Amino acid sequence: MLGVFGIILSLGLLMYLAYRGWSVIILAPILALLAAAFAIFDGGSVHLLATYTEGFMVNLANYVKNYFPVFLLGALFGKVMDDSGAAKAIAVFVSSKIGKGKEIWAVVLSCAIITYGGVSLFVAAFAIYPIGAALFKEADIPKRLLPPAIALGAFTFTMTAIPGTPQIQNAIPMKYFGTDAFAAPILGIVAAIIMLFGGMFWLSTRLAKARNAGEGYGNHGDSHLHGTDTSNLPSFTTAILPILVVLIGNFILSKRVFPNIDAKYLETDYNTTLAAVLGNWSLIVSLILGVLLAIILNYKRFDNVLQCLREGVQGSFLAIMNTASEVGYGNVIKTLAAFGIVAAGMTSISSNPLVGEAISSSVLAGITGSASGGLSIALETFGETFLARASEFGIDPQVLHRVASVACGGLDTLPHNGAVITLLGITGMTHKQCYLNIGMCTVVIPLIACIAIIILGSFGVV
């Protein structure tokens, strides 16, 4: 039992120290070895250096191998859309069309459009915040509702639920279930509707309560923000075209082009199958096309295209190494004998594989503070088990894909989550001011959406 205590202690330190601002890249290997050291109390042997080099680092490297192209191209696409002004142009257009009295809708939908198109949630937060702050200030809406609005649009339904989203949380399950980014479209749309309208209902009731109490925007020392300079922004059509290319290209490649190629060489030469790589290939090619088109359409708006690309590349390194370190950590933990007790608890709660999958994905995402990290650990550990059980129950692998993706987007945004901390830093707000509303929009309501699609998926809805 001391081995279980070691795992709990390690996880607790990971959550606390990450929340305090420590780098996960430093923490993950140290705390993985701490948990491994407790194996000696359960009669096991401890080989710390081997655990690090042959366990932690091997799994970290495998994650980088599988997902670096998606992280790299996603970071490049987000940086190009940001530096060209395309992301801001979309936000300005949406805000102007929605009109007064719907400022929260304007922020949420602006974030949703650009993140569904492949722009990272961090870029979305940076791009939308100045516009959102100006809208909220003019409408005298409490600023504490702005971070939850951004989080609702960027961290929820466009990240995990809407079919075709190029975000990494929707890409990871493809490898394990042989699916593509458009898996289980009905379930995805149902989950997205619950998240969007559930979150908007919550924020609307909070705004009404604040109005009744006489609360306005407040004094936040951000008088320097005046929306954004629109003099050199591209038109909405120019701004949206790269996003459409990513989405439509991904659909055509995954549904029409790659399924019809002769890929027998993959089995003989690379020991894999077309189903295992089709989703990633489609996403990689469509993101390349999106990046190229965004540069071509907005070339004169860049101060320095090469500098933009360099910064995008550098940004991708930190993003993937944070997640890969968490994956390396999780894979060390799963090799420990004590983890068998924890795993049995998560997977035996219900015989329904969708329930076990949702619990493991969500809990591990909460522990690591990362949706993609928790999802990768859960599927690497239990993916084959869930797939075998789903086959016994007659559940389509597409349902497994969508439930796993939606589930990881629940507990991931607990207070220690890096995206939450970054968002609050960008907006100049605190956990005390905003986290209750952020948590309702990004934790509670997504969990409700996950429960809904588990029920529907169990009855054969895809």
Side-chain angles (χ1 to χ4, degrees), residues 52-67:
Y52 176 67
T53 61
E54 308 308 311
F56 181 89
M57 285 305 302
V58 167
N59 285 286
L60 179 151
N62 283 337
Y63 186 86
V64 174
K65 165 190 168 290
N66 289 324
Y67 298 110

Side-chain angles (χ1 to χ4, degrees), residues 191-397:
I193 289 172
I194 293 172
M195 291 185 211
L196 172 58
F197 288 98
M200 284 303 306
F201 173 78
W202 175 262
L203 292 179
S204 297
T205 59
R206 297 303 92 191
L207 174 58
K209 184 175 180 180
R211 297 268 198 224
N212 291 335
E215 181 184 357
Y217 181 82
N219 183 13
H220 297 282
D222 52 10
S223 58
H224 61 289
L225 292 173
H226 300 288
T228 186
D229 181 9
T230 61
S231 60
N232 193 37
L233 293 181
S235 67
F236 175 74
T237 301
T238 300
I240 204 72
L241 273 176
I243 287 177
L244 294 178
V245 164
V246 171
L247 296 174
I248 297 171
N250 191 12
F251 180 83
I252 294 173
L253 289 167
S254 62
K255 298 293 187 182
R256 297 287 182 266
V257 178
F258 288 133
N260 294 318
I261 66 173
D262 182 4
K264 293 179 182 178
Y265 68 92
L266 287 172
E267 297 182 28
T268 56
D269 297 347
Y270 297 96
N271 195 31
T272 188
T273 63
L274 180 61
V277 299
L278 180 149
N280 264 355
W281 284 7
S282 302
L283 194 51
I284 288 168
V285 174
S286 60
L287 282 169
I288 289 173
L289 294 175
V291 170
L292 291 175
L293 183 61
I295 292 174
I296 292 169
L297 293 177
N298 300 287
Y299 187 80
K300 293 183 178 180
R301 295 186 179 89
F302 291 97
D303 292 331
N304 187 323
V305 172
L306 290 179
Q307 179 63 24
C308 171
L309 295 177
R310 278 196 295 268
E311 291 176 1
V313 170
Q314 291 168 358
S316 71
F317 292 154
L318 181 59
I320 194 167
M321 287 305 297
N322 276 331
T323 305
S325 294
E326 290 166 341
V327 171
Y329 168 86
N331 277 278
V332 169
I333 298 297
K334 82 172 187 181
T335 64
L336 304 178
F339 183 72
I341 301 172
V342 179
M346 286 194 292
T347 58
S348 64
I349 292 176
S350 171
S351 60
N352 187 332
L354 299 180
V355 175
E357 180 187 51
I359 290 173
S360 60
S361 297
S362 192
V363 168
L364 289 168
I367 288 169
T368 60
S370 165
S372 56
L375 179 59
S376 296
I377 295 168
L379 295 187
E380 188 67 32
T381 307
F382 307 117
E384 291 183 5
T385 302
F386 294 141
L387 193 58
R389 287 188 184 177
S391 179
E392 294 173 6
F393 278 75
I395 296 174
D396 193 310

Side-chain angles (χ1 to χ4, degrees), residues 15-81:
M15 293 174 64
Y16 173 74
L17 294 175
Y19 175 74
R20 299 292 297 177
W22 284 59
S23 170
V24 171
I25 297 173
I26 296 173
L27 289 176
I30 294 173
L31 294 177
L33 296 181
L34 172 65
F38 273 80
I40 195 171
F41 296 110
D42 290 337
S45 56
V46 179
H47 305 288
L48 294 183
L49 286 175
T51 298
Y52 176 67
T53 61
E54 308 308 311
F56 181 89
M57 285 305 302
V58 167
N59 285 286
L60 179 151
N62 283 337
Y63 186 86
V64 174
K65 165 190 168 290
N66 289 324
Y67 298 110
F68 179 64
V70 177
F71 274 89
L72 173 63
L73 292 168
L76 286 174
F77 186 64
K79 187 62 177 172
V80 168
M81 291 291 286

Side-chain angles (χ1 to χ4, degrees), residues 155-210:
F155 299 1
T156 60
F157 57 98
T158 58
M159 184 177 84
T160 63
I162 299 184
T165 177
Q167 298 294 336
I168 190 66
Q169 293 80 5
N170 189 43
I172 290 171
M174 298 189 299
K175 171 190 172 186
Y176 299 94
F177 304 131
T179 50
D180 58 44
F182 296 87
I186 296 175
L187 295 182
I189 291 169
V190 169
I193 289 172
I194 293 172
M195 291 185 211
L196 172 58
F197 288 98
M200 284 303 306
F201 173 78
W202 175 262
L203 292 179
S204 297
T205 59
R206 297 303 92 191
L207 174 58
K209 184 175 180 180

Side-chain angles (χ1 to χ4, degrees), residues 404-425:
S405 183
V406 171
C408 79
L411 297 181
D412 66 313
T413 42
L414 291 175
H416 66 292
N417 173 259
V420 171
I421 294 170
T422 301
L423 174 61
L424 293 174

